[in-house]
Structure formats: structure tokens, C-alpha cells
Amino acid sequence: MQAWTDPRGKSLTDYPRPSVAVDVAVLTVDETLKVLVIERPDGTSALPGTFLRPGERLADAARRALRDKASLSGIEFHQLAMLDDPGRDDRGWVLSMAHGAAVPVAEIPAEAQLTPVTGIADLAFDHATIVELAVDDLRARYSAAVDPARFLGDEFTVLDLRRLYEIVFDRRYP
């Protein structure tokens, strides 16, 4: 079988290729809205993430990152955005598929490091942007449904729901 070529006679191998990564913003409520972070070898904090392996699907890589770096498995997450700024990673040209998840704090491993979403400015790469996207997504979902992340569990009071909404939307209700 002959390799594909474009009208100029170039094949796919003639074009530069970026690395592809996945990063996952796992949000939870623990007195405030928080995000799960991991410590990188250089001492900085980042979201759980990893590079895509050959033949691997993005969702499988995200599951692997959560399992291997955050000891989380079986949680639901979804794609938020593809981040493609060529300078987003100082290690080279890396595209990242950002994912978001919202998990009740009881499902987060006790050893996990949680940080308030208001304190994300120092995250590595453009991970603060990913957290902002995840917060916006969470707020949109809470605008459409009562407790889509099930932060409150099966039974809760109206006061519990009010407090949760004050945390999620970062505002006080009169």
C-alpha cells in the first residue's frame, strides 16, 4: 500500500507533530470549591496528567493519569477543551486535551492534595486555565440541574443545597 501524499507530494511524515497530553481538573467541595493537584518532581503543583501513548484514546490516557497520579478510579469526567498554545509547556510543543470531573470529597483519597480554586495561579503550565474552564463548566451544569455532581449525596436539606450553591457559584445568597 502506497503512503498518502498531498497535492505537493508531501506525506504525513513531512509535517511536524506535537506531543499530545491529557490533563484532568478534579473539583470537589470541602468547605470551599477545591481542585485536586499533584506535586511534580520540581516541587511545583499541577493537575493529574500524562502523555498519550501510541494507539491510546484520550479517555484511556485520562483514566490512567487519574489512577497512576491521583489514585482515583471509576470517576466520570468529560472533555472541556483542546489547549494548543505552542508555548504552553516549556518541555516542547504539547497539545493538551483538558478534562473536568466533579467528585464528592468522600471519594477523594485521604492522601490527595486539594487546593482552593482561588489559589491556582501558581499551577504548572496553563493548568490554572484548565481549572477555570472546569469551574465554568461545573457552574453551567449546576445552573441546569440541582446537584449533578452529587456533592450532597442522596438526602439533603434546602439549607444544605443553598450552602452548596454559595460554594459552587462563589457568592452569598440573601
Side-chain angles (χ1 to χ4, degrees):
M1 181 155 106
Q2 190 173 20
W4 173 87
T5 58
D6 71 13
R8 295 171 296 186
K10 292 189 172 196
S11 71
L12 288 177
T13 58
D14 293 321
Y15 295 95
R17 298 177 189 195
S19 296
V20 179
V22 295
D23 295 298
V24 187
V26 179
L27 302 176
T28 194
V29 171
D30 184 24
E31 303 292 324
T32 63
L33 188 58
K34 295 185 176 178
V35 64
L36 186 147
V37 297
I38 58 164
E39 187 173 331
R40 298 180 64 232
D42 65 3
T44 60
S45 293
L47 299 175
T50 192
F51 286 98
L52 200 62
R53 292 177 177 165
E56 186 175 38
R57 293 179 178 269
L58 293 166
D60 294 333
R63 272 190 281 285
R64 180 169 51 83
L66 289 170
R67 182 191 65 232
D68 295 351
K69 295 190 175 179
S71 301
L72 277 172
S73 59
I75 68 166
E76 292 183 31
F77 56 86
H78 58 277
Q79 293 179 353
L80 297 171
M82 176 63 78
L83 302 177
D84 63 353
D85 181 344
R88 65 171 298 277
D89 190 321
D90 57 6
R91 298 169 294 183
W93 185 22
V94 180
L95 303 178
S96 178
M97 176 53 75
H99 293 77
V103 179
V105 71
E107 295 178 24
I108 305 265
E111 68 276 5
Q113 181 181 348
L114 298 173
T115 190
V117 297
T118 55
I120 57 167
D122 294 334
L123 292 180
F125 314 115
D126 54 1
H127 288 189
T129 299
I130 296 172
V131 173
E132 290 168 3
L133 290 168
V135 169
D136 289 346
D137 175 73
L138 181 73
R139 289 177 178 160
R141 291 187 296 121
Y142 269 80
S143 293
V146 174
D147 185 17
R150 301 187 44 78
F151 287 138
L152 296 174
D154 292 333
E155 294 184 17
F156 51 87
T157 67
V158 173
L159 183 57
D160 293 334
L161 187 61
R162 175 187 171 158
R163 287 180 183 143
L164 175 63
Y165 273 59
E166 288 178 343
I167 291 169
V168 168
F169 289 98
D170 192 28
R171 64 173 287 196
R172 301 285 302 164
Y173 293 104

